[in-house]
Protein backbone atom coordinates (compact mmCIF):
# COMPACT_ATOMS: atom_id res chain seq x y z
CA UNK A 1 0.00 0.00 0.00
CA UNK A 2 0.99 3.62 -0.42
CA UNK A 3 2.52 5.50 2.46
CA UNK A 4 2.39 9.12 3.43
CA UNK A 5 4.64 11.49 5.34
CA UNK A 6 2.79 12.81 8.37
CA UNK A 7 3.09 13.46 12.08
CA UNK A 8 1.46 10.23 13.29
CA UNK A 9 3.24 9.57 16.52
CA UNK A 10 1.58 7.95 19.53
CA UNK A 11 -0.76 10.23 21.50
CA UNK A 12 0.91 11.90 24.47
CA UNK A 13 0.00 10.87 27.98
CA UNK A 14 -1.65 14.24 28.53
CA UNK A 15 -4.34 13.16 26.03
CA UNK A 16 -5.87 11.07 28.78
CA UNK A 17 -7.02 14.21 30.51
CA UNK A 18 -9.61 16.70 29.37
CA UNK A 19 -8.13 19.44 27.23
CA UNK A 20 -9.50 22.95 27.08
CA UNK A 21 -7.41 23.84 24.03
CA UNK A 22 -10.55 24.12 21.97
CA UNK A 23 -8.81 25.58 18.92
CA UNK A 24 -5.50 23.71 19.12
CA UNK A 25 -5.70 22.34 15.55
CA UNK A 26 -5.35 25.91 14.26
CA UNK A 27 -1.68 25.73 15.23
CA UNK A 28 -1.28 24.04 11.83
CA UNK A 29 -1.20 26.74 9.14
CA UNK A 30 -2.29 24.32 6.43
CA UNK A 31 -5.22 23.13 8.51
CA UNK A 32 -6.26 26.74 9.05
CA UNK A 33 -6.26 27.35 5.29
CA UNK A 34 -8.30 24.20 4.69
CA UNK A 35 -10.71 25.29 7.41
CA UNK A 36 -11.19 28.66 5.70
CA UNK A 37 -11.88 26.94 2.39
CA UNK A 38 -14.33 24.59 4.08
CA UNK A 39 -16.10 27.54 5.68
CA UNK A 40 -16.85 29.22 2.35
CA UNK A 41 -17.79 25.90 0.73
CA UNK A 42 -20.16 24.96 3.56
CA UNK A 43 -21.74 28.42 3.55
CA UNK A 44 -22.32 28.14 -0.20
CA UNK A 45 -23.68 24.60 0.16
CA UNK A 46 -26.19 25.53 2.86
CA UNK A 47 -27.39 28.41 0.67
CA UNK A 48 -27.52 26.09 -2.36
CA UNK A 49 -29.77 23.49 -0.76
CA UNK A 50 -32.18 26.12 0.51
CA UNK A 51 -32.15 28.07 -2.77
CA UNK A 52 -32.81 24.99 -4.91
CA UNK A 53 -35.66 23.92 -2.65
CA UNK A 54 -37.24 27.38 -2.78
CA UNK A 55 -36.73 27.54 -6.55
CA UNK A 56 -38.59 24.26 -6.89
CA UNK A 57 -41.41 25.54 -4.68
CA UNK A 58 -41.77 28.59 -6.95
CA UNK A 59 -41.66 26.60 -10.19
CA UNK A 60 -43.60 23.47 -9.23
CA UNK A 61 -46.46 22.58 -6.91
CA UNK A 62 -45.64 18.97 -6.10
CA UNK A 63 -43.83 17.07 -3.37
CA UNK A 64 -42.62 14.69 -6.06
CA UNK A 65 -40.93 17.55 -7.95
CA UNK A 66 -39.19 18.66 -4.75
CA UNK A 67 -37.96 15.12 -4.20
CA UNK A 68 -36.61 14.95 -7.77
CA UNK A 69 -34.56 18.14 -7.29
CA UNK A 70 -33.02 16.86 -4.06
CA UNK A 71 -32.38 13.54 -5.79
CA UNK A 72 -30.62 15.32 -8.67
CA UNK A 73 -28.35 17.22 -6.25
CA UNK A 74 -27.17 13.98 -4.65
CA UNK A 75 -27.21 11.57 -7.60
CA UNK A 76 -23.66 12.45 -8.80
CA UNK A 77 -22.32 11.39 -5.40
CA UNK A 78 -23.90 7.98 -5.91
CA UNK A 79 -22.33 7.71 -9.37
CA UNK A 80 -18.93 9.40 -8.94
CA UNK A 81 -18.31 9.22 -5.18
CA UNK A 82 -16.25 6.00 -5.10
CA UNK A 83 -14.10 6.77 -8.18
CA UNK A 84 -13.47 10.26 -6.78
CA UNK A 85 -12.15 8.71 -3.57
CA UNK A 86 -9.78 6.46 -5.52
CA UNK A 87 -8.53 9.49 -7.47
CA UNK A 88 -7.90 11.27 -4.16
CA UNK A 89 -5.50 8.47 -3.19
CA UNK A 90 -3.54 8.57 -6.45
CA UNK A 91 -3.33 12.23 -7.61
CA UNK A 92 -2.64 15.64 -6.06
CA UNK A 93 -5.50 16.14 -3.59
CA UNK A 94 -5.11 19.91 -3.52
CA UNK A 95 -5.37 20.11 -7.32
CA UNK A 96 -8.47 17.91 -7.39
CA UNK A 97 -10.10 20.05 -4.71
CA UNK A 98 -9.24 23.25 -6.59
CA UNK A 99 -10.68 21.97 -9.88
CA UNK A 100 -13.93 20.85 -8.28
CA UNK A 101 -14.46 24.25 -6.68
CA UNK A 102 -13.80 26.10 -9.95
CA UNK A 103 -16.57 23.98 -11.43
CA UNK A 104 -18.87 25.01 -8.59
CA UNK A 105 -18.22 28.70 -9.29
CA UNK A 106 -19.12 28.23 -12.96
CA UNK A 107 -22.34 26.28 -12.35
CA UNK A 108 -23.76 28.53 -9.63
CA UNK A 109 -23.07 31.63 -11.72
CA UNK A 110 -24.76 30.05 -14.75
CA UNK A 111 -27.77 29.15 -12.61
CA UNK A 112 -28.13 32.77 -11.46
CA UNK A 113 -27.94 34.04 -15.06
CA UNK A 114 -30.61 31.60 -16.27
CA UNK A 115 -32.94 32.54 -13.41
CA UNK A 116 -32.50 36.24 -14.15
CA UNK A 117 -33.22 35.55 -17.82
CA UNK A 118 -36.46 33.82 -16.75
CA UNK A 119 -35.76 30.71 -18.84
CA UNK A 120 -35.61 28.10 -16.07
CA UNK A 121 -37.48 24.90 -16.82
CA UNK A 122 -37.78 21.55 -15.10
CA UNK A 123 -35.09 20.09 -17.35
CA UNK A 124 -32.66 22.97 -16.77
CA UNK A 125 -33.22 22.87 -13.01
CA UNK A 126 -32.48 19.14 -12.95
CA UNK A 127 -29.39 19.53 -15.15
CA UNK A 128 -27.92 22.32 -13.03
CA UNK A 129 -28.63 20.38 -9.83
CA UNK A 130 -26.80 17.38 -11.32
CA UNK A 131 -23.83 19.56 -12.33
CA UNK A 132 -23.50 21.11 -8.89
CA UNK A 133 -23.80 17.70 -7.31
CA UNK A 134 -20.91 16.51 -9.47
CA UNK A 135 -18.62 19.25 -8.15
CA UNK A 136 -19.43 18.12 -4.60
CA UNK A 137 -18.90 14.45 -5.49
CA UNK A 138 -15.31 15.12 -6.58
CA UNK A 139 -14.46 17.79 -4.03
CA UNK A 140 -15.94 16.80 -0.69
CA UNK A 141 -14.21 13.40 -0.18
CA UNK A 142 -10.87 15.09 -0.86
CA UNK A 143 -11.57 17.96 1.53
CA UNK A 144 -12.38 15.52 4.33
CA UNK A 145 -9.53 13.09 3.53
CA UNK A 146 -6.91 15.84 3.80
CA UNK A 147 -7.64 16.61 7.47
CA UNK A 148 -5.77 13.68 9.15
CA UNK A 149 -2.62 14.47 7.16
CA UNK A 150 -2.47 18.03 8.50
CA UNK A 151 -2.71 17.36 12.27
CA UNK A 152 -1.34 14.91 14.80
CA UNK A 153 -3.57 11.97 15.73
CA UNK A 154 -3.94 13.39 19.24
CA UNK A 155 -5.63 16.45 17.72
CA UNK A 156 -7.86 14.58 15.27
CA UNK A 157 -11.06 14.90 17.33
CA UNK A 158 -10.34 18.60 17.72
CA UNK A 159 -9.64 19.05 13.99
CA UNK A 160 -12.73 17.13 12.89
CA UNK A 161 -14.89 19.09 15.31
CA UNK A 162 -13.45 22.43 14.15
CA UNK A 163 -14.16 21.47 10.53
CA UNK A 164 -17.69 20.64 11.58
CA UNK A 165 -17.85 23.92 13.46
CA UNK A 166 -17.30 25.83 10.21
CA UNK A 167 -20.22 23.92 8.76
CA UNK A 168 -22.29 24.75 11.84
CA UNK A 169 -21.58 28.46 11.43
CA UNK A 170 -22.49 28.13 7.77
CA UNK A 171 -25.73 26.38 8.66
CA UNK A 172 -26.59 29.33 10.89
CA UNK A 173 -25.67 32.01 8.38
CA UNK A 174 -26.25 30.27 5.04
CA UNK A 175 -30.03 29.77 5.09
CA UNK A 176 -30.53 33.16 6.76
CA UNK A 177 -28.41 34.89 4.10
CA UNK A 178 -30.05 32.85 1.36
CA UNK A 179 -33.55 33.63 2.67
CA UNK A 180 -32.73 37.34 2.94
CA UNK A 181 -31.24 37.40 -0.57
CA UNK A 182 -34.31 35.64 -1.97
CA UNK A 183 -36.59 38.12 -0.20
CA UNK A 184 -34.60 41.11 -1.49
CA UNK A 185 -33.33 40.03 -4.91
CA UNK A 186 -34.99 36.75 -5.80
CA UNK A 187 -33.59 33.24 -6.06
CA UNK A 188 -31.05 34.33 -8.70
CA UNK A 189 -29.32 36.58 -6.18
CA UNK A 190 -28.88 33.62 -3.82
CA UNK A 191 -27.10 31.60 -6.52
CA UNK A 192 -24.89 34.56 -7.46
CA UNK A 193 -23.89 34.85 -3.82
CA UNK A 194 -22.87 31.19 -3.81
CA UNK A 195 -20.52 31.71 -6.76
CA UNK A 196 -18.83 34.62 -4.95
CA UNK A 197 -18.31 32.53 -1.81
CA UNK A 198 -16.80 29.64 -3.75
CA UNK A 199 -14.47 32.07 -5.50
CA UNK A 200 -13.27 33.42 -2.15
CA UNK A 201 -12.65 29.87 -0.98
CA UNK A 202 -10.29 29.27 -3.89
CA UNK A 203 -7.95 31.92 -2.51
CA UNK A 204 -7.34 29.86 0.65
CA UNK A 205 -6.25 26.84 -1.43
CA UNK A 206 -3.46 28.68 -3.24
CA UNK A 207 -0.91 28.76 -0.35
CA UNK A 208 -2.05 25.48 1.26
CA UNK A 209 0.40 22.56 1.22
CA UNK A 210 -0.67 18.95 1.66
CA UNK A 211 1.79 16.10 2.50
CA UNK A 212 2.31 14.04 -0.64
CA UNK A 213 1.50 10.34 -0.90
CA UNK A 214 4.22 7.95 -2.06
CA UNK A 215 2.99 6.74 -5.47
CA UNK A 216 6.15 4.90 -6.49
CA UNK A 217 4.42 1.50 -6.41
CA UNK A 218 2.74 -0.09 -9.44
CA UNK A 219 -0.33 1.74 -10.73
CA UNK A 220 -3.42 -0.44 -10.42
CA UNK A 221 -6.77 -0.23 -12.15
CA UNK A 222 -9.10 2.34 -10.59
CA UNK A 223 -11.71 -0.34 -10.00
CA UNK A 224 -9.26 -2.45 -8.01
CA UNK A 225 -8.48 0.48 -5.72
CA UNK A 226 -12.19 1.15 -5.22
CA UNK A 227 -12.71 -2.49 -4.25
CA UNK A 228 -9.83 -2.26 -1.78
CA UNK A 229 -11.51 0.65 -0.01
CA UNK A 230 -14.83 -1.18 0.09
CA UNK A 231 -13.13 -4.29 1.44
CA UNK A 232 -11.50 -2.31 4.25
CA UNK A 233 -14.82 -0.83 5.36
CA UNK A 234 -16.65 -4.17 5.09
CA UNK A 235 -13.92 -5.91 7.13
CA UNK A 236 -13.92 -3.47 10.06
CA UNK A 237 -16.99 -4.14 12.27
CA UNK A 238 -17.09 -0.71 13.88
CA UNK A 239 -16.55 1.31 10.71
CA UNK A 240 -18.98 -0.89 8.79
CA UNK A 241 -21.71 -0.20 11.34
CA UNK A 242 -20.92 3.52 11.42
CA UNK A 243 -21.27 3.72 7.65
CA UNK A 244 -24.53 1.79 7.61
CA UNK A 245 -26.00 3.93 10.38
CA UNK A 246 -24.88 7.10 8.62
CA UNK A 247 -26.49 6.03 5.34
CA UNK A 248 -29.71 5.04 7.12
CA UNK A 249 -29.84 8.38 8.91
CA UNK A 250 -29.29 10.27 5.67
CA UNK A 251 -32.00 8.20 4.01
CA UNK A 252 -34.74 8.56 6.60
CA UNK A 253 -33.87 11.89 8.25
CA UNK A 254 -31.57 14.19 6.21
CA UNK A 255 -33.47 13.68 2.96
CA UNK A 256 -36.77 14.18 4.76
CA UNK A 257 -35.57 17.40 6.39
CA UNK A 258 -34.24 18.93 3.16
CA UNK A 259 -37.33 18.01 1.15
CA UNK A 260 -40.26 18.44 3.52
CA UNK A 261 -39.21 21.03 6.10
CA UNK A 262 -39.72 23.99 3.68
CA UNK A 263 -42.98 22.40 2.53
CA UNK A 264 -44.29 22.07 6.10
CA UNK A 265 -43.20 25.64 6.88
CA UNK A 266 -44.93 27.10 3.85
CA UNK A 267 -48.10 25.01 3.77
CA UNK A 268 -48.73 24.01 7.41
CA UNK A 269 -47.12 26.80 9.43
CA UNK A 270 -47.87 29.53 6.83
CA UNK A 271 -44.48 31.24 6.96
CA UNK A 272 -42.26 32.65 4.21
CA UNK A 273 -38.72 32.06 3.00
CA UNK A 274 -36.93 33.98 5.76
CA UNK A 275 -38.96 32.41 8.58
CA UNK A 276 -38.32 28.99 7.03
CA UNK A 277 -34.59 29.69 6.91
CA UNK A 278 -34.70 30.27 10.68
CA UNK A 279 -35.31 26.53 11.16
CA UNK A 280 -31.91 25.80 9.62
CA UNK A 281 -30.35 28.69 11.49
CA UNK A 282 -31.64 27.38 14.84
CA UNK A 283 -30.27 23.94 13.98
CA UNK A 284 -26.92 25.50 13.10
CA UNK A 285 -26.75 27.37 16.42
CA UNK A 286 -27.33 24.12 18.28
CA UNK A 287 -24.63 22.33 16.28
CA UNK A 288 -22.20 25.19 16.85
CA UNK A 289 -22.66 25.09 20.61
CA UNK A 290 -22.29 21.32 20.92
CA UNK A 291 -19.29 21.31 18.56
CA UNK A 292 -17.50 23.90 20.68
CA UNK A 293 -18.14 21.76 23.75
CA UNK A 294 -16.89 18.59 22.05
CA UNK A 295 -13.77 20.38 20.74
CA UNK A 296 -12.69 20.93 24.34
CA UNK A 297 -12.15 17.18 24.81
CA UNK A 298 -8.97 15.58 23.56
CA UNK A 299 -10.46 12.07 23.68
CA UNK A 300 -13.61 10.10 24.51
CA UNK A 301 -12.96 6.50 25.50
CA UNK A 302 -16.50 5.31 24.79
CA UNK A 303 -17.26 7.59 21.88
CA UNK A 304 -19.09 4.78 20.09
CA UNK A 305 -21.60 4.40 22.92
CA UNK A 306 -22.24 8.14 23.01
CA UNK A 307 -22.75 8.04 19.25
CA UNK A 308 -25.56 5.49 19.65
CA UNK A 309 -27.19 7.71 22.31
CA UNK A 310 -27.26 10.61 19.84
CA UNK A 311 -28.99 8.36 17.30
CA UNK A 312 -31.80 7.59 19.75
CA UNK A 313 -32.15 11.28 20.65
CA UNK A 314 -32.19 12.36 17.01
CA UNK A 315 -35.00 9.99 16.13
CA UNK A 316 -37.08 11.22 19.05
CA UNK A 317 -36.61 14.87 18.03
CA UNK A 318 -37.45 14.04 14.42
CA UNK A 319 -40.81 12.60 15.50
CA UNK A 320 -41.42 15.60 17.77
CA UNK A 321 -41.01 18.02 14.87
CA UNK A 322 -43.58 16.05 12.89
CA UNK A 323 -46.28 16.56 15.54
CA UNK A 324 -45.42 20.18 16.41
CA UNK A 325 -48.21 22.62 15.44
CA UNK A 326 -46.57 25.91 16.43
CA UNK A 327 -43.75 27.79 14.72
CA UNK A 328 -41.89 28.76 17.92
CA UNK A 329 -42.01 25.19 19.24
CA UNK A 330 -40.75 23.90 15.90
CA UNK A 331 -37.80 26.32 16.01
CA UNK A 332 -36.96 25.09 19.53
CA UNK A 333 -37.04 21.48 18.35
CA UNK A 334 -34.70 22.37 15.49
CA UNK A 335 -32.26 23.92 17.97
CA UNK A 336 -32.29 20.72 20.05
CA UNK A 337 -31.87 18.69 16.86
CA UNK A 338 -28.81 20.74 15.96
CA UNK A 339 -27.31 20.33 19.44
CA UNK A 340 -27.66 16.57 19.12
CA UNK A 341 -26.47 16.50 15.51
CA UNK A 342 -23.24 18.26 16.49
CA UNK A 343 -22.28 15.24 18.61
CA UNK A 344 -23.64 12.73 16.09
CA UNK A 345 -21.73 13.97 13.03
CA UNK A 346 -18.45 14.75 14.80
CA UNK A 347 -18.28 11.43 16.64
CA UNK A 348 -19.16 9.48 13.51
CA UNK A 349 -16.44 11.03 11.37
CA UNK A 350 -13.80 11.00 14.12
CA UNK A 351 -14.36 7.31 14.85
CA UNK A 352 -14.03 6.45 11.16
CA UNK A 353 -10.91 8.54 10.53
CA UNK A 354 -9.16 7.49 13.75
CA UNK A 355 -9.42 3.84 12.72
CA UNK A 356 -8.54 4.25 9.01
CA UNK A 357 -4.96 4.02 7.59
CA UNK A 358 -4.02 7.16 5.70
CA UNK A 359 -3.21 5.31 2.48
CA UNK A 360 -6.88 4.35 2.02
CA UNK A 361 -8.30 7.53 3.60
CA UNK A 362 -9.46 9.02 0.30
CA UNK A 363 -11.43 5.93 -0.62
CA UNK A 364 -12.91 5.51 2.85
CA UNK A 365 -13.90 9.18 2.88
CA UNK A 366 -15.57 8.74 -0.51
CA UNK A 367 -17.62 5.91 1.02
CA UNK A 368 -18.36 8.20 3.97
CA UNK A 369 -19.51 10.96 1.59
CA UNK A 370 -21.54 8.41 -0.35
CA UNK A 371 -23.21 7.22 2.86
CA UNK A 372 -23.86 10.74 4.14
CA UNK A 373 -24.79 12.64 0.99
CA UNK A 374 -25.75 9.72 -1.24
CA UNK A 375 -28.51 8.58 1.06
CA UNK A 376 -30.03 12.06 1.14
CA UNK A 377 -31.29 12.21 -2.49
CA UNK A 378 -32.90 8.80 -2.20
CA UNK A 379 -34.47 9.87 1.07
CA UNK A 380 -35.59 13.13 -0.51
CA UNK A 381 -37.19 11.29 -3.42
CA UNK A 382 -38.97 8.92 -1.05
CA UNK A 383 -40.05 11.76 1.25
CA UNK A 384 -41.53 13.70 -1.67
CA UNK A 385 -43.55 10.69 -2.78
CA UNK A 386 -44.73 9.88 0.75
CA UNK A 387 -45.72 13.50 1.36
CA UNK A 388 -48.14 13.31 -1.58
CA UNK A 389 -49.46 9.87 -0.59
CA UNK A 390 -49.41 9.97 3.19
CA UNK A 391 -48.64 13.50 4.40
CA UNK A 392 -45.51 15.47 5.30
CA UNK A 393 -45.97 15.46 9.07
CA UNK A 394 -46.90 11.80 9.17
CA UNK A 395 -43.74 10.87 7.28
CA UNK A 396 -41.60 12.92 9.70
CA UNK A 397 -43.00 10.98 12.65
CA UNK A 398 -42.54 7.61 10.95
CA UNK A 399 -38.91 8.38 10.12
CA UNK A 400 -38.16 9.45 13.68
CA UNK A 401 -39.61 6.29 15.19
CA UNK A 402 -37.71 4.17 12.65
CA UNK A 403 -34.42 5.78 13.76
CA UNK A 404 -35.12 5.06 17.42
CA UNK A 405 -35.81 1.40 16.62
CA UNK A 406 -32.59 1.11 14.56
CA UNK A 407 -30.54 2.72 17.35
CA UNK A 408 -31.86 0.25 19.94
CA UNK A 409 -30.91 -2.67 17.70
CA UNK A 410 -27.39 -1.25 17.21
CA UNK A 411 -27.00 -0.67 20.96
CA UNK A 412 -27.59 -4.31 21.84
CA UNK A 413 -25.94 -6.01 18.83
CA UNK A 414 -22.73 -4.01 18.20
CA UNK A 415 -20.36 -4.30 21.20
CA UNK A 416 -17.36 -3.36 19.05
CA UNK A 417 -18.93 0.00 18.20
CA UNK A 418 -19.86 0.66 21.83
CA UNK A 419 -16.19 0.30 22.85
CA UNK A 420 -14.61 2.47 20.10
CA UNK A 421 -12.37 5.36 21.20
CA UNK A 422 -12.24 8.72 19.44
CA UNK A 423 -8.46 8.37 19.11
CA UNK A 424 -8.57 4.85 17.64
CA UNK A 425 -8.93 1.35 19.01
CA UNK A 426 -11.37 0.10 21.63
CA UNK A 427 -11.82 0.56 25.37
CA UNK A 428 -11.64 -2.77 27.25
CA UNK A 429 -14.86 -3.88 28.92
Amino acid sequence: MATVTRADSAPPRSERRLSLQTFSAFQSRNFTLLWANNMTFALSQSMRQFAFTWLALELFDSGQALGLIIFALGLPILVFGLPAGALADRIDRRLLLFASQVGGVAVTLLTAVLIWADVMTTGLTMALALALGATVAFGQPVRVAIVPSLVERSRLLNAVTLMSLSQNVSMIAGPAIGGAMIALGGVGAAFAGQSVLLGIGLIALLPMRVPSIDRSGPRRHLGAEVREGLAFVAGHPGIRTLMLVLMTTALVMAGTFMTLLPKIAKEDLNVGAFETSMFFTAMGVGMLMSSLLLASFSRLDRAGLWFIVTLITGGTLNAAFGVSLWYVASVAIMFATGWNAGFFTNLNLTLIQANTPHEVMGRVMSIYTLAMAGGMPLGGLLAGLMADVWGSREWFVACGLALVAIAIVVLFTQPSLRRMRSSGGETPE
Side-chain angles (χ1 to χ4, degrees):
M1 284 189 179
T3 58
V4 64
T5 302
R6 57 169 288 175
D8 205 17
S9 56
R13 293 180 60 85
S14 60
E15 186 190 54
R16 298 175 185 175
R17 301 189 297 271
L18 292 183
S19 171
L20 297 180
Q21 296 180 350
T22 306
F23 305 101
S24 62
F26 284 138
Q27 294 178 25
S28 166
R29 175 177 178 271
N30 288 317
F31 173 79
T32 302
L33 292 170
L34 180 65
W35 186 91
N37 171 267
N38 188 65
M39 174 68 128
T40 58
F41 169 79
L43 187 58
S44 172
Q45 189 176 40
S46 62
M47 290 175 62
R48 179 202 71 182
Q49 292 170 338
F50 184 79
F52 260 114
T53 302
W54 206 259
L55 175 63
L57 285 171
E58 290 186 349
L59 294 176
F60 321 112
D61 187 22
S62 166
Q64 183 176 358
L66 280 172
L68 286 172
I69 297 300
I70 299 299
F71 179 77
L73 280 169
L75 180 60
I77 295 176
L78 295 173
V79 177
F80 302 118
L82 294 179
L87 285 175
D89 285 336
R90 64 158 58 181
I91 67 175
D92 189 327
R93 290 174 176 173
R94 175 176 164 274
L95 179 61
L96 183 58
L97 180 57
F98 193 91
S100 69
Q101 196 149 327
V102 169
V105 172
V107 177
T108 50
L109 186 58
L110 176 61
T111 305
V113 171
L114 292 175
I115 292 173
W116 287 329
D118 197 23
V119 296
M120 289 295 289
T121 64
T122 303
L124 276 176
T125 304
M126 292 285 290
L128 291 166
L130 286 167
L132 268 178
T135 66
V136 176
F138 282 94
Q140 188 59 12
V142 184
R143 186 178 283 104
V144 179
I146 288 174
V147 174
S149 68
L150 302 181
V151 298
E152 298 88 349
R153 184 176 292 275
S154 60
R155 289 178 176 167
L156 182 58
L157 175 61
N158 181 263
V160 168
T161 305
L162 289 177
M163 288 289 283
S164 176
L165 186 145
S166 67
Q167 295 174 320
N168 304 154
V169 172
S170 300
M171 186 177 293
I172 297 169
I177 294 173
M181 293 184 76
I182 290 172
L184 295 174
V187 182
F191 281 100
Q194 294 170 51
S195 67
V196 172
L197 285 169
L198 291 172
I200 294 173
L202 290 172
I203 299 174
L205 295 180
L206 293 175
M208 187 179 76
R209 295 295 176 264
V210 179
S212 60
I213 297 175
D214 182 5
R215 304 180 181 92
S216 58
R219 180 63 61 89
R220 293 177 297 167
H221 190 274
L222 195 65
E225 295 191 351
V226 169
R227 288 192 296 272
E228 184 180 44
L230 290 169
F232 172 80
V233 171
H236 193 295
I239 292 179
R240 181 178 64 239
T241 303
L242 287 166
M243 291 290 193
L244 289 173
V245 168
L246 183 63
M247 178 171 287
T248 302
T249 304
L251 182 66
V252 301
M253 187 161 71
T256 300
F257 264 102
M258 293 308 304
T259 304
L260 298 184
L261 193 149
K263 183 176 174 64
I264 290 175
K266 186 176 183 180
E267 298 178 0
D268 295 326
L269 299 177
N270 298 313
V271 296
F274 183 75
E275 289 83 359
T276 302
S277 71
M278 290 299 101
F279 284 135
F280 298 98
T281 299
M283 185 174 179
V285 171
M287 291 185 71
L288 173 63
M289 294 175 66
S290 60
S291 294
L292 282 170
L293 175 62
L294 189 59
S296 300
F297 290 81
S298 62
R299 190 177 86 180
L300 291 176
D301 283 340
R302 293 190 179 273
L305 178 59
W306 284 111
F307 170 78
I308 298 172
V309 171
T310 66
L311 186 61
I312 296 173
T313 305
T316 303
L317 290 169
N318 201 77
F321 185 87
V323 300
S324 174
L325 300 176
W326 300 281
Y327 176 75
V328 174
S330 298
V331 171
I333 293 171
M334 288 299 292
F335 170 80
T337 298
W339 174 273
N340 183 71
F343 291 107
F344 175 90
T345 55
N346 290 317
L347 290 176
N348 182 279
L349 180 54
T350 301
L351 287 168
I352 293 173
Q353 288 192 332
N355 291 276
T356 299
H358 190 75
E359 57 267 21
V360 295
M361 188 66 73
R363 282 160 284 179
V364 172
M365 287 302 97
S366 71
I367 299 171
Y368 171 85
T369 303
L370 181 65
M372 178 179 63
M376 188 181 71
L378 296 175
L381 184 62
L382 179 61
L385 292 171
M386 294 304 298
D388 289 342
V389 173
W390 194 5
S392 301
R393 291 183 177 276
E394 291 79 2
W395 187 243
F396 252 92
V397 174
C399 289
L401 295 178
L403 279 181
V404 172
I406 291 168
I408 292 173
V409 171
V410 171
L411 178 64
F412 289 104
T413 64
Q414 301 298 317
S416 179
L417 174 58
R418 296 198 305 265
R419 295 192 299 266
M420 288 179 72
R421 294 189 180 108
S422 65
S423 57
E426 298 179 6
T427 301
E429 291 287 2

